[in-house]
Amino acid sequence: MHNAHAGLARSEREGPLQTVITQNIDGLQQATGSRNVFELHGNTRRIVCLKCGQHHTMEAVYQCLETRLPPACPDCGGTLKPDVVFFGESLPADVLMRAISESETCDLFLVVGSSLVVQPAAALPVAVRRKGARLLVFSSVFCIGLFHT
């Protein structure tokens, strides 16, 4: 885990940070204590059944691996996959809509570690600026800075 994950979790506990919207699929933000996290691309720590939509833990699926490859859903026998968005799949509509809604009401939108290339997440900071909120971008690729209206 990075200090950035811990810093965001601390900021959420202390009040100024309301929501974390992430494209990461590793669950590290929750592991540092963040509670209000919208995972746009899902999470590798959960498994979903493509037939019934039921979610399962990695531990439960590991037990299934002992008897069947690929593992089948213990509820319906359907195909299991990591609960992540693969190329060509749509983002979960409910998560995306909640992320957009939160973005539309923020005062400051902080982007950390993103190239702002992957859509539709890359459009969120643009929408935030149109609504008049401040935008601060820190990235390993570039640093834009603070924009004032």
Side-chain angles (χ1 to χ4, degrees), residues 18-24 29-30 34-42 46 92 94-103 124:
Q18 299 296 311
T19 304
V20 173
I21 301 168
T22 184
Q23 292 175 263
N24 294 336
Q29 195 57 57
Q30 294 90 320
S34 286
R35 294 174 306 277
N36 196 26
V37 180
F38 299 154
E39 296 173 307
L40 295 178
H41 293 167
R46 290 185 310 262
D94 60 327
V95 176
L96 180 58
M97 294 310 296
R98 288 177 21 219
I100 291 169
S101 177
E102 287 288 320
S103 299
L124 292 175

Side-chain angles (χ1 to χ4, degrees), residues 62-137:
Y62 283 140
Q63 291 174 356
C64 294
L65 286 172
E66 295 176 10
T67 59
R68 183 172 171 195
L69 286 174
C73 176
D75 295 329
C76 74
T79 303
L80 298 174
K81 82 169 194 84
D83 191 15
V84 297
V85 176
F86 290 136
F87 288 104
E89 293 180 334
S90 297
L91 297 183
D94 60 327
V95 176
L96 180 58
M97 294 310 296
R98 288 177 21 219
I100 291 169
S101 177
E102 287 288 320
S103 299
E104 289 175 342
T105 61
C106 74
D107 299 318
L108 171 67
F109 193 94
L110 179 65
V111 178
V112 180
S114 175
S115 63
L116 295 175
V117 173
V118 178
Q119 294 292 346
L124 292 175
V126 175
V128 163
R129 286 297 299 139
R130 285 191 189 129
K131 293 282 187 179
R134 293 172 293 157
L135 173 66
L136 185 58
V137 179

Side-chain angles (χ1 to χ4, degrees), residues 135-147:
L135 173 66
L136 185 58
V137 179
F138 293 99
S139 175
S140 58
V141 178
F142 58 87
C143 182
I144 294 177
L146 180 64
F147 295 83

